[in-house]
Amino acid sequence: MQGETRKILAEKIFSINTDDGFEEAAMELFSYQYHHNNLYNRYLRLLGTDPSSVTSTARIPCLPLSFFKTHKVYTGNAPGSLRFRSSGTGSTVPSVHYVADARLYETSFLKCFEMFYG
């Protein structure tokens, strides 16, 4: 079911064409991440954030960027096999972005490119 839910959310995200559509999809994605991303769930509980109190995108707590350097941030049972690392600067630890679905990731940047460049 988790894979099917992810597919439905992706289709919804790629068809957003209004502010209300964005708000609705973002709130569904927040709920999905809360329920399927153990690190994010734990972070919200430590903040004392009740997910039912998050009623708009402006109220969605974001993980600190440093977590991508210190934790494996992924949704589901295991990190994806595809990983992107930031270039880092000098001797800094690079951030790592785990990608579970390479096709979804590719669709994301292609649609963004088409939207901005045609």
Side-chain angles (χ1 to χ4, degrees), residues 30-111:
F30 163 73
S31 177
Y32 183 82
Q33 291 296 325
Y34 175 79
H35 288 99
H36 299 284
N37 184 312
N38 292 331
L39 179 64
Y40 188 56
N41 180 290
R42 191 171 33 172
Y43 176 71
L44 292 182
R45 285 187 285 124
L46 288 171
L47 288 178
T49 302
D50 177 358
S52 66
S53 71
V54 179
T55 55
S56 70
T57 54
R59 296 184 53 102
I60 295 174
C62 296
L63 280 176
L65 291 176
S66 62
F67 276 34
F68 291 86
K69 293 181 179 195
T70 59
H71 297 77
K72 285 186 176 181
V73 181
Y74 61 90
T75 302
N77 298 325
S81 58
L82 185 58
R83 294 183 300 201
F84 292 97
R85 295 181 192 272
S86 67
S87 60
T89 309
S91 63
T92 63
V93 175
S95 297
V96 179
H97 177 200
Y98 294 91
V99 177
D101 185 340
R103 288 182 302 167
L104 178 60
Y105 194 80
E106 183 177 300
T107 300
S108 172
F109 67 72
L110 288 175
K111 289 211 177 265

Side-chain angles (χ1 to χ4, degrees), residues 18-37:
T18 65
D19 290 345
D20 287 342
F22 173 81
E23 190 76 19
E24 181 183 331
M27 294 307 297
E28 283 185 48
L29 188 56
F30 163 73
S31 177
Y32 183 82
Q33 291 296 325
Y34 175 79
H35 288 99
H36 299 284
N37 184 312

